[in-house]
Amino acid sequence: AIQASAHASGWEQKVYFQFGNEIQNPNGFYGHVCNWVTNNVTDFCDLDTQFIPTYVERYLAPGVSYLEEKSQELYGQPDAIRIVLGSLVNLANQETFLNSLLEYQVRGDFAPSLAGKHVYELVDTISIHYTIAGPNWRTTLDDFRNKYVPDGGPIGRVHRVWATEEVGAGLAAQGYGMASVLRGIARYLTWWLANKGTSKGNILKTRLTAFFIFFTRFSRHAQIVGQT
């Protein structure tokens, strides 16, 4: 797909590659990594000494290195293919996880060209799930912006936050799917509008893009709502 896009005009900086999904989930990505690290002993492992080094050195860094090479080859610049950090469920509860991951310094075990760089120098976008429903959603988004996209420009390469999932099958089955979608849209737009006229809002518009991508399965959720 990346190779094919290079032959279409206007695709520069419009190709995004995400590394993982709900990467802190012990029943999913995190658990699989911990199982491998501990030789199938447990789904839980130490964040700083086991999960993060494994995720970065064996997965993220080699992938970024390869994509930078392909980006240079296909588009003439190493950062035309944008790098998305695998989604986090409820950013309000994952700030420690995210900060530890972004501040990790690459050893370069399988990507020597990236040795010495921090993860925040490798990724453009942070993908989040189920962050907008909690009572502290506004503070959570403000804290992320203030830390990684302060006045004067982004810290490292990070300059986007994407909300890629805000409705689950549970809410939809209970008849709250469409209401949750509308709440998510309203809250994200409220946050954007509240910052639009400020100096941080200028960074928000040009450097920090809030996306809410409602997957095609949400159409099915809406049908469930209609049937209840």
Side-chain angles (χ1 to χ4, degrees):
I2 293 173
Q3 185 79 33
S5 71
H7 301 293
S9 61
W11 274 82
E12 295 82 356
Q13 299 184 7
K14 293 182 181 179
V15 178
Y16 293 81
F17 196 100
Q18 180 170 322
F19 285 85
N21 177 60
E22 299 190 352
I23 58 175
Q24 89 303 331
N25 187 351
N27 296 316
F29 195 98
Y30 190 99
H32 296 322
V33 171
C34 289
N35 257 312
W36 184 84
V37 171
T38 63
N39 293 316
N40 297 317
V41 172
T42 179
D43 294 338
F44 296 89
C45 58
D46 185 75
L47 174 66
D48 293 318
T49 63
Q50 294 179 298
F51 176 80
I52 290 179
T54 303
Y55 172 77
V56 174
E57 301 294 346
R58 292 180 171 271
Y59 183 50
L60 178 66
V64 171
S65 178
Y66 173 77
L67 289 176
E68 287 185 346
E69 291 177 8
K70 294 301 294 184
S71 179
Q72 183 68 46
E73 174 189 333
L74 298 174
Y75 301 112
Q77 57 190 90
D79 59 350
I81 299 174
R82 299 302 178 89
I83 307 300
V84 183
L85 193 68
S87 52
L88 298 172
V89 176
N90 192 355
L91 183 58
N93 296 330
Q94 301 298 333
E95 291 185 20
T96 299
F97 180 99
L98 178 60
N99 290 336
S100 296
L101 180 52
L102 288 176
E103 292 170 9
Y104 177 83
Q105 191 170 25
V106 179
R107 295 193 304 259
D109 296 357
F110 298 98
S113 65
L114 301 180
K117 288 192 173 184
H118 295 85
V119 171
Y120 61 70
E121 297 177 276
L122 305 183
V123 300
D124 303 279
T125 304
I126 309 299
S127 173
I128 59 175
H129 289 181
Y130 304 104
T131 294
I132 211 70
N136 299 320
W137 64 272
R138 193 187 301 272
T139 300
T140 300
L141 294 175
D142 285 344
D143 288 347
F144 175 87
R145 178 202 58 198
N146 293 337
K147 183 174 179 64
Y148 292 105
V149 195
D151 284 329
I155 302 299
R157 189 168 161 179
V158 177
H159 57 282
R160 289 182 184 84
V161 57
W162 281 10
T164 51
E165 188 173 337
E166 289 291 344
V167 179
L171 282 175
Q174 296 175 55
Y176 299 126
M178 187 57 69
S180 297
V181 168
L182 295 175
R183 177 183 60 187
I185 292 174
R187 286 185 172 181
Y188 278 118
L189 289 179
T190 296
W191 183 66
W192 180 79
L193 289 170
N195 293 278
K196 184 179 178 183
T198 66
S199 58
K200 284 187 171 64
N202 292 332
I203 294 173
L204 175 66
K205 288 187 295 182
T206 59
R207 298 182 184 274
L208 177 64
T209 307
F211 280 79
F212 23 90
I213 302 172
F214 299 104
F215 298 149
T216 54
R217 67 189 182 94
F218 287 179
S219 298
R220 185 168 71 252
H221 290 178
Q223 292 172 10
I224 293 174
V225 173
Q227 294 170 3
T228 57

